[in-house]
Amino acid sequence: MNKDFKQTIKNRPGGENLSLCYSCGSCTATCPVSEQVEDFNPRLIIKKSLLGFSEEVLSGEEIWQCIQCRRCVSACPQNVRFADIVRVLRELAVEEGHFAEDLEERLDDYDKEVLRYRLEILEEVLAGDKDFEDFSLKAGGD
Amino acid sequence: MPDPVVVVGGGIAGIQAATDLAEMGIPVYLIEKSPSLGGRMAQLDKTFPTNDCSTCILAPKITSCYNHENVTTYTMTELINVEGEPGNFRVRLKKRPRYVDEEKCTGCGDCLDKCPVSISDEYNMGMSEYGAIHKYQPQAVPNVAAIDASECLKINEDKCGVCEKICNFDAIEYKQKEKKFVVQAASIIYAAGYEGFSGDLVSDYGYKKHPNVVTSLEYERILNAAGPTDGHVIRQTDGEEVENIAFIHCSGSRDRRTDKNYCSSVCCTYSIKHALITKEHIKDVNVDLYYMDIRTFGKGFERYYNRAQETEGVNFIRSRVSEIEPGSNPGDLKLKATDDDNGYCEQEYDMVVLASGLEPTQQVTDSLQKLKVRTNKYGFVDMDEFNPLSTSRPGIFGCGVVNGPRDIPESVMDASGAAALAGQHAVLDVKDMGVEAAGDQEFRVTQNERTRVGVFVCHCGTNIAGVIDVEEVKEKAAGIPFVEHAEDVKYLCSSDSQDLIGERIKEHNLNRIVVASCTPRTHEPLFMDAIAEAGLNPYLLEMTNIRDQGSWVHKEEPEKATWKAFELIRAGVARVKNALPLERGEVDNIARALVVGGGAAGLNAARELANLGFPVSLVEREEELGGHATSLKHSLEGRPVKPHLDRLIAEVKGHELIDIYAGHEIKDITGFVGNYKLELIPPVPKEVRSDKDLVEIEGGVVIVATGGQEFEPLEYSYQDSEQVITQLELEEELSSENQSLVRDDCEEIYMIQCVGSREEDRPYCSRICCSQALRNAVHIKENHPDKDITILYREMRSYGYYEDLYRKARDLGINFSRYEVDNKPEVSRKGDELTLKYEEPLSGKMITAKPDLLVLAAAILPREDNLTLSQMLKTPLNEDQFFLEAHVKLRPVDSATDGIFLAGLAHGPKNLSETLAQSRAAAGRAASILSKEYLLTQATVAEVDEELCIACGDCERVCAYKAIEVNEEENVAEVNRVLCKGCGNCTGVCRPHAVDLNGFLNQQIIDEIETLLAKDDSEFAKTGGV
Amino acid sequence: MKMENSYKDLSAEIKEVAKKVLAEEDVDQLLGFAQGEFSGLTEPVIIKKAEQAQRMVFTEDATPMLSKYLLEYKEKKQAVVAKPCDTRAIAYYLSEDIIDRKNLVIIGINGCPGLKDNTACDECDTRNPVISDYQVGEEISSAELAAELKGVKYLLEDMTPAERKEHYSQEFARCTQCYACRDACPVCYCDHCYVESNQPEWVEEGSSADKDMIFHLMRTMHMPGRCVNCGACEMACPEGIDMRSMTTHLYHKAEELYDFRPGISPEQPPLLSDFSKEDSEPGFL
């Protein structure tokens, strides 16, 4: 356990409100990723960070699963701003050498591509010829 | 004559304050802005933790306040402004027109159904409608209609006018004008109450989008038999009964987004109440409660929580709800939340209730501003914790929720305390008191009259009539021998029904009355007053309970319930025909208060009583005054306690009306209300002490302020390690002159909450430990940011504004982890090293720590000698050995025994500020007795027929109150009417039947039993199927 | 073989002690038994002079409970010849404070031989006075008493409630509400008995199976912890009803359930107005 982990996060911009969390679970409840992925649990990530399990938090893939939709930020009654904390954790994870330096940037780029794809599909569906099922989202698909 | 006091607000707080002041002999102007007294409590269905019907316990209080000769009530009236200073205020008031003449209207209700306009029913939270002319609530006091001018066709368009045409009493006044007037007052009590958060305060809960999402106040109305759904828990959308319902705690409270970070204090307990009552309505319903911490910190509430946990079909889910979305079926709701194992979870429900919090109304906020009363950031009155109930403006006092979220007992305590303070400005002339109503009244002599019994059967709305065929019962009752008149009435307890009973008595010359309705516990005094008003001795009344013992328990068998109601009335008639008129006696009252205990509670109560003008004797067993407060360094808001305590002690010592007996122990207490005698042992060494040294003091009331004691933990290595201390010991270390923490080498500090509390042998919450731990942790962390502090808790009960303290603690980086009661932290010691291991529930990880200091939040225990004191005083203790109050909701400082009042830890765990408020309440309540020249005794006491008595002494031996004793010289047993409680033990044990019990005479009971056992050939009996 | 003193010896001793008491103690009167002047019957007598003591006897026909007569004259200082059961009644009176110890001189009969045809004497567990100032006869030791009582069952001990009810119905059918049982009973001493009340009328006027039963049940309800098992009620009954099957049933029950025997000492608190938390509660679940 790394007792200073909490303060390290709080010292970074975006991480100031980490310790305001009172484990209510609103972030996990509202999170669209949590809804799909059982292991992605913002409340738990915060708890582990507060407890000092830095190794576990920073080396895991969970912090990269966040899609930065920021629903957690508006759902949180104590203004903890989990989405911002995720960014801080990503920074630290890279600094500690768990992940490549450019992973964040590459992930952002990929997200933009996914977004473009979504907008294209949406346009076609709204135009009327096809529906969402016609565009397979499985790996290796269209 | 003392100067008047103005009480603003006619809810339970205002009513209590007005009553206490009136009982002290002070004239009161009670101002209420709506058309009826009652406030929020009148909107509640049931009250926790007893599940008593709210109106049932409130209505008698409203009636006695409204009818008090010292109270003048102005409804439809608002406070405009206040000028002047304490002792001499000019209060500007505005009485809005109700367009109905209050003197002429009888509340008959003829106009109500005829109004063509429908408007939203405010009392039912807008879930139903009533006419433009309406009664604000079914049991309105005064029982007078009111017209909403903005909707009335006649007032606006000169059309309609039906109500005026229909009214038999010429009471409609379309041209009524508003009245502005000024009253003079010595002081003002502000009790204007609150409103619940609006349902869409948290927009994610979709209150406006989903009709089946309701607020807690709306749900109270749904549960209530007089509500929009007649008490059926059905959905707005399709009228279907709910099978699956969710309650969301902290809806808007403890939330920075709504700017209401405070905890509304009552929602946890009332949600539990809702859960239990819903189960009573619908046996198989599933109830889920979504919460963060269950804050059942009040007296008796932990047991209530335990009971709910054991109730099948009631589930507690520790998670907040992030949003509510439409469910799969129309009207259904989907809640998104978490569960401890899997993270995200969602669940569907038929109905969702938002446990909405409490906030001041806009009107209250504006008023307080105009009154120049300082408010806190949440809009509530800003209270000095060392001077609770006073506001920033001298002479104006706040009570009830205007001071901050609190429940009914606390509001009632506030009210009695505010009365004690406000009364001080009214200049009581203690020597010139003498308020006693009953006892002087002359009653009709019924001795030689033919027995004429009047039977009145109540519908109680649908409470009785929903199961029992009241009409049939009335008709059959008319045929019972000796019954002269039988009648059925919708609500016998309403004030016009009271008048009706009086009229019938005169019309038919009735001399015995049977009221078939609810339990005598609620309304017996009311009906006694009603028949007394008509000139009939009030003890010629019999109440038969066809509700609790009829419609409520035999809901599934209406025919048998109807037969039973008739049988009970038959028995009641047999009983009442043998009743004899009874009288109350007078007894002297010593106008001095005896305060037992010289801690904060006792000192404060003594001071307020002395300031009111009453002499006080204060007894304290230690040489030094101050009690446990001397160990406290700072208050929960972080202010030093010592200067305030020292000032209080100095004021008490310097007061000419207070005699202090420090270092004195109590040898014995004898007597009864009005006449108490304490025998004290002075601080003379035992060897040289003789009986001559004993000190005797006399008084009319006793205030028990003996305090509590700290539990000595047996767990967590407390007994064998210097590094494990209690929170109180920590405070003592902190309050020593050393500014830094005594133990400089403490880098890591752990605190464990609930040590000794909330366990099987002590199932109560010690209330102050969470806020105390937070305060101490914050204090240490602020001064030593490098120290690492972790608090292990089961529920974090930082109620009210202490929630801000909790947030501050988290902001400072203090760690919080939960633990489960069946998986407690393990602490072991090896030499100087402490090891603490616990399982953190969310992550499932076993955490091991080596704290330098471990602080335990030890339980607050009742004092060991409470039992001895309770036996001397003849007043009971509750199941946890704290002193028992007369009624947990509405009489929180009165003990179960007349003339004895409770304050501070002797009553139960509470913090310093709450203790000061409660001790002021004890002073206010005590003052209402002390200000009377003489007291009246109960009439239903035992009586001895000297000719039959053989002085065998059995009665004396079985009496629990020492109220009957054998007089050796006269060779006969004698009853002390003041002590006698009318329990009947002596009556039952007497072999020659020399003792009889007035009001429950042997002849009455014999006739009642013989009537019940006699063969009944009526058709009625056949349907009874017995 | 039952140890007992002979009536002859007892009579002789009583004469002597009575003479002594009348001469030396400052009593107003002495209650005892004497042979009838004209009949051979044993009758209760009040004597005031030492010479009259010559007539005194104790026989197997000395049925009336002399202890009860004490209550008639309780302001006077009295001496009384008391069978062991009489002394228990007296001890009971003292525990209820209805007579002053200072006004009593008790002449107790040790090793009481009992009365003829009194079934109570067959199961008597006392046999020596519990309180006395003078004694006549030889004491019976507790070992001897225990041996005598071995195997003695009290009436109806083995019957079921239904059987008992049957027994009572049969026996008490003969009752005529003459109240002899009440008048004979030493612990029935109310100035105004409940059965004579008419406001309220606890027992309806007239005799019938129901009404008689009410009278007996009410009287029996006054017996627990008070009845001293003297058998006077049964001896007095003109119909020969098995009275003790009801009244002293409770005497034995009190002992069984609460280890309580009335009249053992003047300080003993009465059974029904005293309790401890450990009391058995057979009537409750």
Side-chain angles (χ1 to χ4, degrees):
Chain A
M1 272 167 63
N2 174 4
K3 295 238 202 78
D4 299 320
F5 189 45
K6 179 173 78 185
Q7 196 54 48
T8 309
I9 298 171
K10 283 174 78 159
N11 286 340
R12 303 259 171 140
E16 299 90 343
N17 290 351
L18 173 71
S19 66
L20 284 175
C21 174
Y22 53 22
S23 299
C24 73
S26 298
C27 47
T28 307
T30 195
C31 175
V33 178
S34 270
E35 198 177 329
Q36 306 269 2
V37 177
E38 214 177 273
D39 287 333
F40 185 70
N41 188 334
R43 170 166 74 162
L44 188 52
I45 292 174
I46 295 178
K47 191 67 187 174
K48 286 186 187 169
S49 303
L50 288 171
L51 285 171
F53 289 100
S54 51
E55 211 31 50
E56 206 178 305
V57 170
L58 295 180
S59 63
E61 45 179 69
E62 288 85 11
I63 54 178
W64 301 98
Q65 292 172 327
C66 167
I67 57 171
Q68 290 288 299
C69 68
R70 300 187 75 78
R71 284 172 73 148
C72 50
V73 176
S74 46
C76 179
Q78 292 294 313
N79 206 21
V80 171
R81 308 211 313 268
F82 177 70
D84 294 336
I85 288 172
V86 162
R87 294 194 87 91
V88 170
L89 290 174
R90 287 176 181 176
E91 250 176 57
L92 291 170
V94 164
E95 278 171 32
E96 304 259 321
H98 294 289
F99 296 95
E101 224 181 270
D102 61 350
L103 176 56
E104 177 109 53
E105 200 185 323
R106 283 164 40 222
L107 183 57
D108 274 344
D109 287 342
Y110 184 69
D111 280 339
K112 284 193 193 121
E113 208 183 301
V114 169
L115 176 59
R116 275 197 295 272
Y117 185 56
R118 181 187 181 277
L119 289 169
E120 278 169 27
I121 295 175
L122 180 61
E123 202 180 318
E124 289 206 42
V125 169
L126 290 177
D129 344 308
K130 296 198 174 135
D131 204 349
F132 293 113
E133 292 96 36
D134 300 328
F135 298 93
S136 167
L137 287 172
K138 298 229 168 40
D142 244 18
Chain B
M1 192 67 181
D3 298 318
V5 173
V6 167
V7 176
V8 180
I12 181 61
I15 288 168
Q16 180 68 46
T19 308
D20 285 333
L21 287 165
E23 286 285 291
M24 284 187 228
I26 297 173
V28 179
Y29 293 111
L30 177 59
I31 313 299
E32 164 57 38
K33 76 170 193 293
S34 78
S36 166
L37 295 177
R40 291 283 166 217
M41 193 175 168
Q43 285 182 290
L44 302 181
D45 176 41
K46 304 276 188 337
T47 55
F48 55 74
T50 51
N51 291 353
D52 280 338
C53 156
S54 184
T55 299
C56 293
I57 56 178
L58 176 64
K61 269 192 120 79
I62 297 181
T63 309
S64 62
C65 176
Y66 186 69
N67 291 335
H68 203 295
E69 58 179 10
N70 285 342
V71 177
T72 309
T73 304
Y74 290 109
T75 51
M76 307 291 299
T77 305
E78 290 161 37
L79 180 68
I80 307 289
N81 212 343
V82 169
E83 285 152 13
E85 63 281 317
N88 200 3
F89 283 116
R90 280 177 306 288
V91 182
R92 292 185 185 286
L93 302 167
K94 176 173 81 173
K95 187 172 160 80
R96 297 185 338 266
R98 62 161 83 212
Y99 305 102
V100 174
D101 186 327
E102 282 174 18
E103 303 295 313
K104 292 187 183 154
C105 174
T106 62
C108 72
D110 281 348
C111 56
L112 305 181
D113 298 324
K114 296 287 180 273
C115 180
V117 176
S118 283
I119 62 174
S120 177
D121 178 345
E122 207 182 295
Y123 174 73
N124 272 333
M125 303 300 292
M127 292 187 292
S128 63
E129 292 180 325
Y130 46 30
I133 186 167
H134 55 269
K135 267 198 240 176
Y136 187 68
Q137 43 143 313
Q139 303 211 39
V141 174
N143 191 12
V144 171
I147 299 180
D148 181 339
S150 61
E151 304 284 343
C152 172
L153 291 175
K154 178 74 178 177
I155 294 175
N156 285 315
E157 301 169 32
D158 203 18
K159 293 202 183 108
C160 185
V162 161
C163 49
E164 187 182 31
K165 296 184 195 117
I166 264 251
C167 179
N168 285 323
F169 301 95
D170 201 22
I172 311 291
E173 268 185 18
Y174 297 117
K175 299 251 187 286
Q176 204 177 77
K177 296 263 174 285
E178 96 177 6
K179 261 197 322 206
K180 286 204 171 107
F181 57 109
V182 177
V183 300
Q184 185 122 27
S187 49
I188 296 159
I189 294 183
Y190 195 75
Y194 69 97
E195 64 187 1
F197 293 160
S198 102
D200 64 348
L201 181 63
V202 179
S203 52
D204 289 338
Y205 291 155
Y207 172 77
K208 284 206 163 122
K209 282 191 289 197
H210 309 300
N212 291 326
V213 173
V214 298
T215 65
S216 49
L217 270 173
E218 288 168 357
Y219 196 63
E220 292 276 349
R221 298 314 307 147
I222 291 174
L223 285 175
N224 187 251
T229 58
D230 289 333
H232 297 291
V233 187
I234 55 179
R235 310 201 308 173
Q236 293 249 325
T237 48
D238 52 15
E240 287 287 306
E241 200 176 69
V242 304
E243 288 173 20
N244 205 2
I245 186 169
F247 292 86
I248 301 182
H249 293 225
C250 303
S251 279
S253 310
R254 299 184 68 185
D255 196 330
R256 288 277 308 201
R257 300 168 298 168
T258 59
D259 275 333
K260 296 176 204 304
N261 196 46
Y262 59 87
C263 162
S264 290
S265 304
V266 300
C267 332
C268 279
T269 323
Y270 79 51
S271 294
I272 290 175
K273 171 189 72 172
H274 285 164
L276 291 172
I277 302 295
T278 308
K279 278 305 251 185
E280 276 182 23
H281 282 251
I282 307 169
K283 202 163 74 91
D284 293 320
V285 70
N286 179 65
V287 178
D288 287 347
L289 297 116
Y290 289 85
Y291 73 99
M292 289 200 280
D293 299 282
I294 292 289
R295 294 176 165 183
T296 46
F297 53 88
K299 194 171 179 184
F301 297 173
E302 189 69 24
R303 278 200 168 78
Y304 197 53
Y305 174 33
N306 290 342
R307 178 176 146 197
Q309 286 177 298
E310 285 157 27
T311 304
E312 213 184 288
V314 174
N315 312 301
F316 286 89
I317 300 168
R318 192 186 289 268
S319 166
R320 223 179 150 107
V321 169
S322 61
E323 56 240 78
I324 298 180
E325 289 174 359
S328 342
N329 299 319
D332 283 1
L333 303 148
K334 180 164 78 174
L335 267 55
K336 295 170 77 160
T338 65
D339 63 45
D340 279 341
D341 299 321
N342 299 326
Y344 175 86
C345 78
E346 60 183 44
Q347 203 64 246
E348 296 213 304
Y349 297 94
D350 306 324
M351 189 187 270
V352 175
V353 181
L354 306 178
S356 14
L358 281 44
E359 63 179 341
T361 62
Q362 188 58 50
Q363 184 162 38
V364 165
T365 310
D366 293 341
S367 259
L368 290 172
Q369 199 172 42
K370 252 192 279 180
L371 290 176
K372 297 200 194 47
V373 168
R374 196 171 57 229
T375 54
N376 65 20
K377 68 180 173 193
Y378 299 121
F380 296 103
V381 173
D382 193 17
M383 287 259 133
D384 174 354
E385 60 188 328
F386 292 118
N387 192 10
L389 311 176
S390 298
T391 68
S392 60
R393 187 158 171 193
I396 300 188
F397 306 96
C399 67
V401 182
V402 291
N403 291 347
R406 60 207 49 206
D407 63 6
I408 292 169
E410 286 157 357
S411 297
V412 170
M413 281 192 243
D414 275 4
S416 297
L421 297 177
Q424 290 171 29
H425 294 280
V427 190
L428 301 184
D429 189 348
V430 176
K431 294 187 271 327
D432 190 30
M433 296 297 185
V435 187
E436 246 337 320
D440 291 339
Q441 202 175 350
E442 296 270 315
F443 296 114
R444 183 173 113 223
V445 174
T446 52
Q447 195 168 359
N448 294 315
E449 293 178 5
R450 167 169 78 80
T451 306
R452 285 186 281 265
V453 181
V455 176
F456 297 88
V457 192
C458 188
H459 287 240
C460 194
T462 50
N463 254 325
I464 294 176
V467 175
I468 292 176
D469 188 343
V470 175
E471 301 268 327
E472 198 183 350
V473 169
K474 171 205 71 179
E475 272 164 32
K476 292 284 196 297
I480 298 173
F482 299 106
V483 172
E484 184 81 3
H485 174 78
E487 190 165 347
D488 65 302
V489 178
K490 256 244 151 55
Y491 286 103
L492 268 174
C493 53
S494 68
S495 54
D496 59 316
S497 298
Q498 310 282 293
D499 297 334
L500 176 101
I501 294 177
E503 279 161 38
R504 295 289 180 266
I505 290 175
K506 295 191 181 120
E507 266 171 53
H508 299 273
N509 232 359
L510 303 172
N511 48 33
R512 296 290 185 282
I513 306 294
V514 171
V515 166
S517 62
C518 52
T519 160
R521 284 180 301 139
T522 40
H523 291 321
E524 191 174 49
L526 201 74
F527 291 117
M528 286 173 71
D529 282 343
I531 71 176
E533 287 276 306
L536 194 60
N537 183 292
Y539 296 93
L540 299 176
L541 168 78
E542 187 66 33
M543 281 184 75
T544 60
N545 186 347
I546 61 173
R547 187 194 67 179
D548 308 40
Q549 295 174 12
S551 60
W552 279 3
V553 293
H554 302 301
K555 256 200 291 261
E556 316 297 326
E557 299 172 297
E559 278 183 359
K560 288 193 176 166
T562 305
W563 169 81
K564 180 172 175 179
F566 172 66
E567 282 293 286
L568 288 175
I569 291 173
R570 232 164 42 91
V573 171
R575 193 165 155 147
V576 81
K577 74 180 191 335
N578 291 303
L580 295 175
L582 301 172
E583 254 180 29
R584 302 181 71 176
E586 274 173 20
V587 99
D588 285 328
N589 187 15
I590 302 173
R592 168 178 282 271
L594 304 173
V595 177
V596 180
L603 291 167
N604 200 19
R607 176 181 63 181
E608 303 311 337
L609 279 167
N611 283 345
L612 278 167
F614 298 105
V616 180
S617 296
L618 175 74
V619 181
E620 163 57 46
R621 72 153 31 125
E622 304 295 328
E623 289 287 345
E624 296 299 313
L625 299 174
H628 274 110
T630 47
S631 307
L632 299 178
K633 175 179 175 63
H634 36 50
S635 67
L636 289 172
E637 282 175 31
R639 296 161 62 198
V641 170
K642 190 165 171 8
H644 295 274
L645 184 64
D646 286 346
R647 185 168 51 226
L648 175 58
I649 293 175
E651 273 181 49
V652 168
K653 280 189 174 162
H655 208 300
E656 57 175 8
L657 285 176
I658 303 179
D659 295 331
I660 302 178
Y661 296 86
H664 284 62
E665 271 191 41
I666 297 183
K667 179 165 190 286
D668 200 9
I669 304 177
T670 47
F672 39 90
V673 61
N675 293 276
Y676 279 106
K677 185 153 61 183
L678 263 62
E679 239 183 310
L680 307 176
I681 304 172
V684 172
K686 222 175 175 178
E687 306 81 56
V688 298
R689 196 169 40 191
S690 79
D691 274 349
K692 280 196 299 262
D693 294 316
L694 292 176
V695 178
E696 253 182 34
I697 53 178
E698 289 186 337
V701 300
V702 176
I703 297 186
V704 177
T706 47
Q709 54 191 73
E710 194 185 34
F711 172 61
E712 227 186 79
L714 302 163
E715 315 164 272
Y716 305 126
S717 286
Y718 174 76
Q719 296 286 337
D720 63 346
S721 170
E722 298 248 312
Q723 291 155 281
V724 183
I725 60 176
T726 64
Q727 288 285 350
L728 200 57
E729 286 166 344
L730 177 64
E731 291 234 14
E732 277 165 0
E733 286 189 21
L734 292 174
S735 57
S736 69
E737 285 315 302
N738 201 344
Q739 264 310 295
S740 73
L741 195 54
V742 166
R743 304 147 194 253
D744 271 320
D745 53 349
C746 279
E747 288 309 317
E748 190 168 5
I749 301 173
Y750 264 74
M751 297 185 174
I752 304 182
Q753 301 302 106
C754 295
V755 177
S757 308
R758 303 181 61 206
E759 309 230 340
E760 211 179 299
D761 41 347
R762 219 170 286 110
Y764 62 83
C765 167
S766 291
R767 189 176 180 126
I768 66 172
C769 339
C770 281
S771 33
Q772 184 184 36
L774 288 171
R775 167 53 52 197
N776 286 340
V778 164
H779 176 88
I780 296 173
K781 191 78 174 176
E782 272 178 336
N783 288 308
H784 307 274
D786 294 333
K787 294 200 196 291
D788 195 43
I789 306 179
T790 305
I791 300 184
L792 302 180
Y793 66 96
R794 285 171 53 193
E795 313 289 324
M796 183 47 69
R797 293 182 168 179
S798 47
Y799 57 90
Y801 307 133
Y802 304 130
E803 183 66 24
D804 281 336
L805 186 58
Y806 183 28
R807 183 178 157 97
K808 183 166 184 184
R810 299 193 310 272
D811 199 18
L812 287 171
I814 295 169
N815 308 307
F816 290 88
S817 269
R818 226 169 23 90
Y819 72 89
E820 302 279 336
V821 67
D822 47 11
N823 196 2
K824 287 187 188 175
E826 274 170 33
V827 174
S828 56
R829 179 181 76 93
K830 203 154 135 196
D832 274 344
E833 196 182 73
L834 276 179
T835 308
L836 186 153
K837 281 206 193 107
Y838 72 98
E839 187 183 313
E840 197 283 307
L842 263 180
S843 59
K845 296 201 184 288
M846 277 304 289
I847 314 284
T848 305
K850 301 230 184 275
D852 303 305
L853 181 65
L854 177 59
V855 189
L856 307 178
I860 294 181
L861 302 181
R863 280 185 66 106
E864 273 167 357
D865 52 14
N866 274 1
L867 185 60
T868 315
L869 188 60
S870 87
Q871 283 167 343
M872 280 197 234
L873 286 166
K874 295 205 269 287
T875 193
L877 302 176
N878 76 352
E879 53 223 319
D880 298 317
Q881 311 297 358
F882 291 101
F883 282 90
L884 181 64
E885 59 267 74
H887 189 278
V888 65
K889 258 346 214 202
L890 294 185
R891 295 181 66 193
V893 296
D894 296 24
S895 82
T897 305
D898 288 340
I900 299 178
F901 300 96
L902 315 171
L905 295 182
H907 164 263
K910 53 182 69 70
N911 64 43
L912 180 59
S913 191
E914 290 161 349
T915 296
L916 294 173
Q918 189 184 33
S919 49
R920 288 178 163 173
R925 293 289 305 138
S928 66
I929 290 190
L930 294 174
S931 48
K932 296 188 166 59
E933 218 181 303
Y934 53 85
L935 302 174
L936 294 178
T937 67
Q938 227 186 327
T940 49
V941 295
E943 206 175 304
V944 178
D945 182 335
E946 290 182 8
E947 281 188 19
L948 300 178
C949 176
I950 52 169
C952 71
D954 268 353
C955 56
E956 186 180 322
R957 282 184 284 269
V958 298
C959 179
Y961 305 99
K962 302 220 179 41
I964 185 168
E965 284 175 346
V966 172
N967 180 329
E968 310 264 310
E969 284 111 49
E970 307 288 322
N971 217 37
V972 77
E974 289 174 342
V975 176
N976 177 335
R977 297 191 70 189
V978 182
L979 291 177
C980 176
K981 296 288 174 209
C983 76
N985 265 4
C986 55
T987 315
V989 86
C990 182
R991 299 189 300 267
H993 298 286
V995 187
D996 213 345
L997 184 58
N998 283 311
F1000 302 88
L1001 299 171
N1002 284 322
Q1003 189 69 65
Q1004 290 181 276
I1005 298 177
I1006 289 176
D1007 275 3
E1008 184 174 13
I1009 295 177
E1010 292 197 341
T1011 304
L1012 283 170
L1013 293 177
K1015 269 197 172 157
D1016 177 15
D1017 294 323
S1018 70
E1019 270 167 52
F1020 220 15
K1022 294 196 191 111
T1023 56
V1026 171
Chain C
M1 226 304 269
K2 211 173 172 181
M3 179 280 172
E4 55 200 40
N5 299 296
S6 77
Y7 297 105
K8 198 161 141 208
D9 293 333
L10 286 172
S11 299
E13 275 190 74
I14 285 171
K15 289 195 228 298
E16 290 308 312
V17 174
K19 251 191 282 203
K20 186 164 179 229
V21 166
L22 284 165
E24 291 171 21
E25 304 267 1
D26 189 21
V27 295
D28 296 318
Q29 60 193 34
L30 184 149
L31 307 183
F33 291 102
Q35 205 80 39
E37 296 256 24
F38 305 105
S39 73
L41 298 172
T42 310
E43 54 183 34
V45 289
I46 302 176
I47 66 174
K48 305 194 180 167
K49 301 201 201 89
E51 311 84 76
Q52 293 166 313
Q54 228 8 72
R55 286 180 54 209
M56 294 188 73
V57 291
F58 185 71
T59 71
E60 63 178 12
D61 294 313
T63 5
M65 293 291 284
L66 293 176
S67 46
K68 187 155 187 186
Y69 291 101
L70 288 170
L71 298 180
E72 284 273 340
Y73 311 98
K74 51 183 169 176
E75 316 76 46
K76 299 196 192 214
K77 182 158 183 199
Q78 306 174 79
V80 62
V81 172
K83 306 192 298 295
C85 46
D86 281 301
T87 63
R88 287 184 59 183
I90 293 171
Y92 187 79
Y93 299 154
L94 292 170
S95 77
E96 274 195 1
D97 245 340
I98 59 166
I99 197 167
D100 204 335
R101 180 69 179 96
K102 292 198 298 291
N103 285 348
L104 294 175
V105 176
I106 304 167
I107 304 170
I109 298 177
N110 281 326
C112 174
L115 304 173
K116 185 173 80 175
D117 294 335
N118 189 347
T119 54
C121 296
D122 294 336
E123 57 176 69
C124 177
D125 58 11
T126 312
R127 309 291 303 286
N128 295 324
V130 297
I131 179 175
S132 61
D133 301 302
Y134 296 86
Q135 294 97 38
V136 295
E138 257 177 55
E139 265 190 30
I140 173 172
S141 74
S142 32
E144 286 172 274
L145 183 55
E148 278 183 23
L149 286 174
K150 205 156 164 204
V152 169
K153 279 178 185 269
Y154 68 87
L155 299 159
L156 313 193
E157 182 174 341
D158 288 332
M159 280 197 191
T160 64
E163 286 168 344
R164 273 209 301 278
K165 186 178 176 192
E166 187 50 39
H167 176 92
Y168 294 145
S169 305
Q170 279 196 340
E171 286 294 307
F172 289 87
R174 299 197 292 283
C175 175
T176 58
Q177 281 198 52
C178 70
Y179 308 132
C181 51
R182 176 198 72 178
D183 291 344
C185 172
V187 296
C188 272
Y189 52 77
C190 288
D191 295 326
H192 185 99
C193 176
Y194 68 87
V195 83
E196 282 147 26
S197 284
N198 63 0
Q199 273 186 350
E201 196 179 31
W202 297 101
V203 185
E204 276 177 50
E205 243 190 84
S207 174
S208 74
D210 292 340
K211 292 176 191 162
D212 299 340
M213 210 49 177
I214 301 254
F215 163 63
H216 284 287
L217 284 171
M218 279 188 79
R219 196 174 85 85
T220 305
M221 283 304 120
H222 295 168
M223 289 298 119
R226 303 179 66 249
C227 165
V228 294
N229 200 10
C230 66
C233 50
E234 202 170 279
M235 304 285 285
C237 177
E239 296 295 331
I241 293 171
D242 193 1
M243 192 72 61
R244 285 180 54 249
S245 64
M246 190 178 277
T247 50
T248 51
H249 183 73
L250 291 175
Y251 172 90
H252 292 288
K253 274 295 175 198
E255 189 172 11
E256 197 182 295
L257 291 172
Y258 306 108
D259 203 16
F260 183 95
R261 290 166 65 225
I264 291 305
S265 100
E267 276 81 48
Q268 187 181 48
L271 176 68
L272 291 185
S273 47
D274 186 51
F275 74 96
S276 86
K277 280 198 173 153
E278 284 75 49
D279 282 344
S280 73
E281 293 175 342
F284 295 88
L285 296 168

